[in-house]
Amino acid sequence: MDSLQDSYVLSNGIKIPCIGFGTWKLPNEISTVDIIKTAIDCGYRHIDTAYAYHNENAVGKAVRSCGLKRNELFITSKLDNPSHGYENTMKEFDKTMNNLGIDYLDLYLIHWPRPILFRENWKEVNEGTWKAFEELYQDGKIKAIGLSNFLVHHIEALMETATIAPMVDQLELHPQYVQRETVNYCKDHRMIIEAWSPLILGRAFDHPILVKIAHKYRKTPAQVLLRWSIQHSFVPLPKASSLERIQENADVFDFTLSEEDIEEMKELEALGQTGPHPDTAVF
Ligand SMILES: NC(=O)c1ccc[n+]([C@@H]2O[C@H](COP(=O)([O-])OP(=O)(O)OC[C@H]3O[C@@H](n4cnc5c(N)ncnc54)[C@H](OP(=O)(O)O)[C@@H]3O)[C@@H](O)[C@H]2O)c1
C-alpha cells in the first residue's frame, strides 16, 4: 500500500481503501461535515460510521457535498445493537440510508455479535440478521457485508446458516491487543480485517518503545501505530478532529517498521484491550 487511495480487494471483488476515517464521538453537526470534507480533501476515500454514533446525517452531508462522485468514496455503517433480527434489520437499514441520504452503502456491518437484549438467543437472532444482510446485498443496496467484534465462535455460529460468507471483520486491534486467534481465522477465510481504535485512543503515545521507534524514523507515535496496522494488512480507521492530525495520520507511506521494531512492540501487549469483550459488553 503506497497511498490512502490504494485498496485491498474483498472476497467478492469490491475494493476497500486501505485506511478508513473513523467518526466515533464526532457530533451530528456542521463541524463534523467540515472535518469529513477536510479528510476527503486530504485524500481519505473511506469513512466509517455507525447508527450508534448518531452522526450519519453529518457523514451523509459531507459525502453529498464534497465534490467527488459517489463511487469514488467507500462508506461503511453498522447495525445498531437493539435492532438485530430479520425485521428489525430491514427497518434499521432504511433508517441508516435515510440518515445518510445516499443510494447505496459500500459496507454494512453487524456492530456487535451479542447485544445485551439478545444475550441468550444471539445465535438464532444473528441468523435472521444475516438473512436480511444477504437480501440487501443481493438487491444491490449494499456492495459488501460483514461483521464487527465477531470472535471465532460468533463467526462459526453465523456460518452454520449463512449462504454468503462475511467479507470483513472489524475488531479492536493495535499493538496492545492483537487478537491472534480471530485474526488468523479471518485471514484463513479470506476476510479483510479492519482495526478499530488503531491509535489506542491516544493513550499510549508516551510509551517509551513507541517514542523510541518514532524518533528513529522521524515520525510520531500515531504514525508508528498506523504503520504497524498497515504492515499487518489491517485496514486502520483512525479518527482525528484537526487538519494537522488528519494529515499526520495520512502521512504513513514513506517508512517501514523493521521486524525488530515489530518484535519490540510486542511488549505493549501487556497493556491489553481498551474496549469491552464482545460476550460481556453491557450494551
Ligand atoms: N466497531 C466498533 O465497535 C468500533 C469501536 C470503536 C471505534 N470504532 C471505529 O474506529 C474508529 C477509530 O477508533 P477510536 O475513535 O476509538 O480511536 P483512535 O482512532 O484510536 O483514536 C482517536 C483519538 O486519538 C486522537 N488522535 C488522532 N490522531 C492523532 C494524532 N495524530 N496525534 C495525537 N492524537 C491523535 C483523537 O483526537 P482528536 O479527535 O481530538 O483529534 C482521538 O482522541 C472510530 O472512530 C470508529 O469509526 C469502531
Side-chain angles (χ1 to χ4, degrees):
M1 297 293 145
D2 296 319
S3 92
L4 283 177
Q5 287 159 37
D6 283 350
S7 299
Y8 295 102
V9 180
L10 300 176
S11 57
N12 64 343
I14 294 288
K15 288 183 176 175
I16 179 168
C18 65
I19 294 186
F21 186 72
T23 66
W24 182 39
K25 293 192 181 157
L26 289 176
N28 201 23
E29 290 168 9
I30 188 70
S31 58
T32 293
V33 179
D34 291 340
I35 288 168
I36 293 170
K37 284 167 81 171
T38 299
I40 292 169
D41 284 345
C42 290
Y44 292 78
R45 292 291 177 268
H46 170 176
I47 316 290
D48 181 81
T49 185
Y51 186 84
Y53 300 171
H54 303 295
N55 61 16
E56 288 175 323
N57 295 110
V59 171
K61 271 187 198 146
V63 168
R64 295 194 312 273
S65 62
C66 70
L68 292 186
K69 292 190 199 118
R70 174 68 188 88
N71 65 8
E72 293 177 280
L73 291 168
F74 188 99
I75 311 300
T76 301
S77 194
K78 314 185 192 86
L79 178 72
D80 202 16
N81 279 333
S83 302
H84 284 208
Y86 180 86
E87 302 288 345
N88 287 340
T89 301
M90 289 300 193
K91 283 189 209 142
E92 186 79 1
F93 177 74
D94 282 345
K95 283 195 213 163
T96 277
M97 296 312 284
N98 282 337
N99 286 343
L100 287 166
I102 55 180
D103 294 339
Y104 68 88
L105 207 52
D106 295 280
L107 178 63
Y108 198 37
L109 306 175
I110 306 180
H111 206 151
W112 289 87
R114 202 177 169 186
I116 199 144
L117 205 60
F118 310 108
R119 185 94 346 143
E120 301 313 321
N121 59 345
W122 62 274
K123 287 187 191 177
E124 63 201 73
V125 174
N126 282 351
E127 182 181 334
T129 303
W130 194 249
K131 188 171 182 296
F133 269 54
E134 291 180 338
E135 282 183 25
L136 293 165
Y137 171 70
Q138 276 160 339
D139 287 349
K141 295 177 179 165
I142 315 172
K143 300 284 179 199
I145 49 178
L147 311 170
S148 169
N149 299 301
F150 274 59
L151 308 181
V152 172
H153 63 288
H154 305 122
I155 307 174
E156 286 190 328
L158 187 99
M159 288 310 297
E160 284 173 22
T161 51
T163 60
I164 300 173
M167 292 135 201
V168 168
D169 198 5
Q170 183 180 121
L171 299 164
E172 179 180 350
L173 278 176
H174 44 68
Q176 286 185 200
Y177 194 48
V178 300
Q179 305 223 46
R180 284 192 183 81
E181 188 196 6
T182 307
V183 164
N184 289 338
Y185 181 93
C186 289
K187 288 190 171 169
D188 287 348
H189 290 79
R190 296 188 62 212
M191 293 168 72
I192 290 287
I193 302 159
E194 299 186 328
W196 64 253
S197 295
L199 303 173
I200 322 178
L201 298 129
R203 292 179 190 167
F205 289 161
D206 58 356
H207 192 286
I209 289 176
L210 290 183
V211 171
K212 185 181 93 174
I213 296 172
H215 187 252
K216 175 168 138 188
Y217 294 103
R218 295 175 193 250
K219 287 285 178 179
T220 64
Q223 290 169 323
V224 169
L225 288 171
L226 294 174
R227 249 346 276 185
W228 179 92
S229 215
I230 291 165
Q231 288 180 222
H232 282 79
S233 303
F234 302 149
V235 176
L237 307 168
K239 176 257 182 184
S241 308
S242 69
L243 172 64
E244 293 71 27
R245 289 179 176 182
I246 289 170
Q247 283 176 330
E248 180 182 321
N249 298 343
D251 182 18
V252 292
F253 297 100
D254 60 352
F255 74 112
T256 303
L257 299 174
S258 68
E259 277 178 32
E260 293 74 36
D261 299 329
I262 288 174
E263 193 57 35
E264 210 176 348
M265 287 168 78
K266 286 186 178 161
E267 220 176 277
L268 275 82
E269 284 182 39
L271 298 169
Q273 71 199 93
T274 65
H277 189 281
D279 279 323
T280 51
V282 286
F283 45 72

